[in-house]
Amino acid sequence: MHRLALVIRLISVAALVSAVTIPPASADAAGPNAVRNLAGCTANTLAANDDGSTESVPIGFEVDFFNNPHTTLYVNNNGNVTFDQPQGEFTPFDFTTSGDQMIAPFLADVDTRNAPGDGTKLVTFGQTEVAGQAAFCINWVDVGYYSVHVDKTNSFQLILIDRGSGDFDIEFNYDRVAWETGDASGGFEGFGGSSAAVGFANGDGDPSHFFVRDGSFENGALLDGGPKALISSSLNSGGQLGRYVFHVHSEPPTGATLTGEVEDPEGFPVAGAPVEICPVAAGKCIARMANGSGVYRATNLPAGSYEVTARSASASPAYADGHAGPVAVSGTSTFTQNVMLGPELGGPPPGTEIAGIGESEGGIPVLHWEASTELTTEGCANGTASYEVAIEGEVVQSGSMAESPLGSGFYRAIIPPLFPDHGNGQVVIEIKDCASPQTIEFAIYIDPSGVVKDADTGAAIAGATVTLFRSADADGPFIQVPDGSAIMSPANRNNPDSTGIDGRFGWDVIAGFYRVTASMEGCESATSGVLDIPPPVTDLVIRLDCGNGGSSGGGGGGGGGASLAPIAGTARPAVATPTPKKKHKRKCHGKKHKRKKCHKKKHGRGSRGGRTGSRLQDLLGPGPTVVAIPDVSEQKP
């Protein structure tokens, strides 16, 4: 946002990328004394710990964070505060689509276990005042990094300042940034690996609901003396270097609000579930993430009818996608549409096989859409057998299965290529006219997939590393999708992934903007252009220059094409493939007997006084850069 005299102009965070610039780093700016010396900032102490958090503590006033009013928060050791639940993740991650609200002056692996016994070098917090206004302050002053390192320390601060009626300021203050990474996040002596991130987010994926500071996730960028050093710039601070002030103010609605709960087949809420909201008529789908209570929310929707599709979260079993609607919305009212996920997906039972190009971690076969597939099963002898392949209940292929040899009970069929159908599907086999008739059902995934080729020879490159990046805005920042993230379908949640023997790769993704980078030893890496999903991308070929006279780059055409697509079902022609892995730790991991307690509704949710959103003024926008988060183990050594 920009404020000019008394005129306030509402623009998105992304639009500020070109509107605000960061002054260049200054060699003499070290130690700008931006951290405020306020008594309340040291009133309470978070005991020496690694990855710990406080209990819910009172702020002292109400903050209305994107139509989510709160009076309490959690102080997390790793450079951030959250409102819905504690956060112990130690490796910087894409908090814009986490499903949870976060304000992070320096998201990185803070370790205070080596602090001296005098109470210094620990995280402290408390209620205070700034210029006569009620405030809440958290100090991370002289804090070290994992594992128990204090050879380098950082000093930074977060202050929330009350502006009345839920409006508030977010103030980030930095005096010293000497390290950026913990040992368990790929760092060495505090540098490299998955570097720190700075910003705040509603966690729902709405591009107007988050800010990621330029230089986040970039090795060396935010450090003192770095090209985007935190101590060398300022925003709305009256010239005070190292201080960044963001004004968060309530904004009247300009359209309808659609909200609801994502539930698993047993009726339990699914925290962090990705949701796509697509207009029935022409228009672009939008993606949102359910919060810790399984509630999704989309604001300022134009009047019309919408279909809602949800998929299982990364910590959930591989349930089938859930579909709901159409639901009509209008005006500035709030409308509700819950979504229930389908039954848990499973692979073929013993005795039944289907040839494919791989399978998900859950055992779901992955079929290439341009290849014929052999289907076999065992059953009672001397029967008749048939199969059907369905996507979202619609049969797209069917045929008979021959018993061979006769009387063996072994049935076989060749399923023709399923192109152009793709996405999550189901195979149903019926064996009848014999002693023990039976019906066999199992899930499959039909993959359009992209391909990596040699730029000169055109040959497919097997074993190339492909990495998926996402942004909610075409101008970025593009952040590597975390391995195991629910942004990718359960059919394949591997990121980075490797191309198969035919050079193919792919992911089924929620709506957004994507880039794919491919690399191979002995070749120059290449990155695709920006891919706007939906509509599905089915013609992406990434070409690598491997020293054979070609030039690298991404392009269309060639073979089966690419494989980025929206959630299966939101636009039938579209989908792709990776596989799950546990990445970001959550407190609630989905034990069914614990979910009701774990995912209960949090305080302060719901509409309030006609407010449906927040306005961010004078934001410092992120630059349009591709940034990588290296894969690291969830468990620390």
Side-chain angles (χ1 to χ4, degrees):
M1 288 301 155
H2 289 280
R3 183 190 294 272
L4 180 60
L6 297 178
V7 178
I8 299 175
R9 183 164 59 98
L10 178 64
I11 60 177
S12 71
V13 173
L16 292 155
V17 171
S18 58
V20 183
T21 59
I22 303 174
S26 174
D28 60 358
N33 297 314
V35 172
R36 295 183 186 268
N37 184 16
L38 303 171
C41 297
T42 57
N44 306 280
T45 300
L46 180 58
N49 77 94
D50 175 53
D51 306 331
S53 303
T54 66
E55 297 293 328
S56 182
V57 296
I59 302 170
F61 52 92
E62 182 180 85
V63 297
D64 190 353
F65 196 44
F66 302 106
N67 198 44
N68 291 276
H70 300 283
T71 57
T72 63
L73 54 71
Y74 298 89
V75 177
N76 304 309
N77 205 60
N78 290 333
N80 66 88
V81 302
T82 48
F83 297 98
D84 295 321
Q85 60 185 356
Q87 172 59 258
E89 177 58 47
F90 49 84
T91 294
F93 63 97
D94 182 6
F95 51 86
T96 68
T97 58
S98 66
D100 295 317
Q101 296 181 313
M102 173 184 286
I103 301 175
F106 199 79
L107 177 60
D109 198 354
V110 175
D111 188 343
T112 59
R113 292 174 296 171
N114 209 8
D118 60 2
T120 61
K121 302 183 186 296
L122 295 171
V123 178
T124 62
F125 61 94
Q127 298 177 17
T128 186
E129 289 187 356
V130 173
Q133 297 293 315
F136 188 86
C137 175
I138 307 98
N139 279 355
W140 289 267
V141 173
D142 296 326
V143 293
Y145 59 99
Y146 185 84
S147 172
V148 294
H149 297 301
V150 290
D151 60 309
K152 305 174 187 71
T153 61
N154 291 349
S155 290
F156 58 95
Q157 182 183 62
L158 167 64
I159 304 179
L160 306 181
I161 304 172
D162 183 23
R163 297 301 180 190
S165 301
D167 295 348
F168 68 105
D169 291 349
I170 298 172
E171 183 177 290
F172 292 163
N173 293 316
Y174 304 91
D175 276 357
R176 181 175 60 256
V177 180
W179 63 265
E180 60 182 351
T181 318
D183 297 348
S185 304
F188 177 71
E189 296 184 349
F191 307 125
S194 298
S195 297
V198 171
F200 49 86
N202 195 40
D204 61 3
D206 187 328
S208 65
H209 289 175
F210 67 79
F211 157 72
V212 180
R213 208 272 192 179
D214 190 18
S216 295
F217 307 108
E218 293 183 30
N219 292 164
L222 304 179
L223 293 168
D224 296 355
K228 300 164 187 176
L230 291 167
I231 67 167
S232 301
S233 304
S234 64
L235 178 70
N236 300 327
S237 68
Q240 171 63 62
L241 289 177
R243 178 169 296 161
Y244 305 81
V245 182
F246 308 89
H247 311 301
V248 183
H249 298 291
S250 301
E251 184 77 7
T254 60
T257 295
L258 180 61
T259 186
E261 184 174 87
V262 180
E263 300 175 343
D264 69 16
E266 297 182 8
F268 292 104
V270 181
V275 177
E276 273 192 345
I277 301 162
C278 297
V280 173
K284 185 172 176 57
C285 298
I286 61 172
R288 295 294 181 263
M289 301 295 286
N291 62 23
S293 301
V295 175
Y296 74 91
R297 186 180 188 85
T299 59
N300 296 326
L301 294 175
S305 293
Y306 294 84
E307 294 180 336
V308 182
T309 300
R311 69 162 47 136
S312 59
S314 57
S316 302
Y319 297 117
D321 293 347
H323 305 282
V327 54
V329 305
S330 60
T332 58
S333 300
T334 297
F335 300 84
T336 301
Q337 179 63 69
N338 295 336
V339 188
M340 179 170 284
L341 299 177
E344 188 169 350
L345 300 173
T352 300
E353 295 183 358
I354 188 167
I357 59 175
E359 64 179 30
S360 73
E361 285 190 4
I364 300 171
V366 177
L367 317 182
H368 189 257
W369 67 344
E370 292 184 324
S372 298
T373 302
E374 181 182 44
L375 174 66
T376 62
T377 192
E378 297 178 10
C380 54
N382 299 311
T384 58
S386 62
Y387 74 88
E388 291 183 341
V389 179
I391 296 180
E392 297 173 31
E394 178 183 344
V395 176
V396 297
Q397 189 65 262
S398 62
S400 60
M401 300 184 70
E403 185 182 22
S404 178
L406 292 175
S408 66
F410 183 82
Y411 299 87
R412 178 180 179 273
I414 300 296
I415 301 176
L418 294 163
F419 176 89
D421 294 299
H422 59 277
N424 294 315
Q426 184 181 39
V427 174
V428 179
I429 299 174
E430 286 194 350
I431 304 174
K432 52 188 180 181
D433 301 327
C434 58
S436 302
Q438 64 183 126
T439 299
I440 301 167
E441 300 180 13
F442 61 92
I444 58 171
Y445 178 79
I446 308 165
D447 177 23
S449 78
V451 63
V452 177
K453 292 185 176 182
D454 186 296
D456 184 48
T457 67
I461 299 178
T465 298
V466 284
T467 307
L468 179 67
F469 299 84
R470 182 183 188 273
S471 174
D473 187 86
D475 292 326
F478 284 85
I479 301 172
Q480 182 174 326
V481 176
D483 191 40
S485 170
I487 284 173
M488 304 172 290
S489 80
N492 185 358
R493 284 178 173 166
N494 287 333
N495 192 41
D497 202 5
S498 297
T499 57
I501 193 170
D502 54 0
R504 296 191 180 279
F505 67 92
W507 296 273
D508 172 15
V509 295
I510 65 174
F513 297 91
Y514 294 85
R515 282 177 171 169
V516 178
T517 294
S519 62
M520 183 71 179
E521 186 175 357
C523 305
E524 293 184 11
S525 63
T527 299
S528 72
V530 176
L531 308 170
D532 185 2
I533 309 296
V537 175
T538 57
D539 60 352
L540 178 65
V541 178
I542 298 181
R543 297 177 175 86
L544 301 184
D545 182 355
C546 300
N548 297 313
S551 59
S552 61
S563 56
L564 293 180
I567 291 177
T570 59
R572 273 290 303 285
V575 186
T577 357
T579 327
K581 224 181 203 178
K582 304 163 191 111
K583 180 65 174 172
H584 299 310
K585 294 186 293 186
R586 288 186 178 274
K587 299 297 179 183
C588 306
H589 268 319
K591 293 262 195 298
K592 291 184 178 175
H593 65 282
K594 292 182 179 178
R595 280 192 200 158
K596 184 167 284 189
K597 179 179 179 182
C598 199
H599 297 308
K600 64 185 178 182
K601 295 283 191 299
K602 301 297 188 294
H603 67 280
R605 295 238 168 234
S607 59
R608 170 179 168 277
R611 302 172 186 269
T612 64
S614 296
R615 177 175 72 236
L616 302 180
Q617 293 180 292
D618 304 312
L619 289 182
L620 185 62
T625 55
V626 177
V627 290
I629 307 175
D631 181 35
V632 296
S633 170
E634 181 182 5
Q635 299 300 321
K636 288 188 175 180

